[in-house]
Amino acid sequence: MLELVFPKDTNYHGTAFGGWVLSLMDKAASIAAVRHAGGNVVTARMDGVDFHVPIRVGDAVALDAQVVKVGRTSMTIRVDVYREDMPTGEQELATTGYFVFVALDDHNRPRPVPALADGHDTSSAHPDPEARP
């Protein structure tokens, strides 16, 4: 996903509202979860969201969401948010977060999700948000 930061998306410091960034992250994570689950999902939890650098008016925001762990009915999605200086194209990691989604059946009850494809299990490549100090 790619978004531009406008004044309406910022606080009085001229940096992006945290809640606006979280909304974008949830949206990007939900797309990754729906694609993996092949159907409806709901956000069950957001955790381990770290804001590294400010995102300013005029920056572009690029979001990358990836399924990193799969349970029986749930998926953990890592979302990285990059701020991009539009004139130079320079990108910098601004925010990282983990989102847990649950797949739903036609009766809005949890349903099984497919395992990650062989060689695509990245849960060991990124810290487990539940194991954080």
Side-chain angles (χ1 to χ4, degrees):
M1 284 180 42
L2 186 65
E3 291 279 338
L4 295 176
V5 182
F6 292 101
K8 68 176 182 57
D9 306 317
T10 64
N11 57 31
Y12 62 91
H13 296 293
T15 60
F17 282 119
W20 180 75
V21 175
L22 288 174
S23 174
L24 295 176
M25 294 173 77
D26 189 35
K27 189 183 298 185
S30 70
I31 292 168
V34 166
R35 286 179 173 170
H36 182 80
N40 291 333
V41 298
V42 293
T43 307
R45 184 174 73 214
M46 296 186 300
D47 61 13
V49 177
D50 297 315
F51 293 90
H52 306 292
V53 297
I55 301 169
R56 303 198 181 283
V57 170
D59 285 343
V61 179
L63 296 98
D64 180 45
Q66 180 179 14
V67 179
V68 296
K69 185 176 177 183
V70 173
R72 192 177 73 76
T73 63
S74 66
M75 300 152 282
T76 301
I77 317 294
R78 177 187 165 118
V79 181
D80 291 325
V81 179
Y82 297 88
R83 64 157 295 280
E84 179 180 320
D85 181 270
M86 294 289 288
T88 67
E90 177 186 336
Q91 286 191 345
E92 178 177 22
L93 181 64
T95 308
T96 300
Y98 291 87
F99 294 71
V100 177
F101 283 78
V102 173
L104 299 178
D105 65 17
D106 293 336
H107 302 286
N108 292 324
R109 293 191 179 97
R111 67 169 176 84
V113 294
L116 288 174
D118 288 341
H120 288 91
D121 181 1
T122 59
S123 59
S124 62
H126 303 292
D128 181 352
E130 293 179 326
R132 291 179 170 200

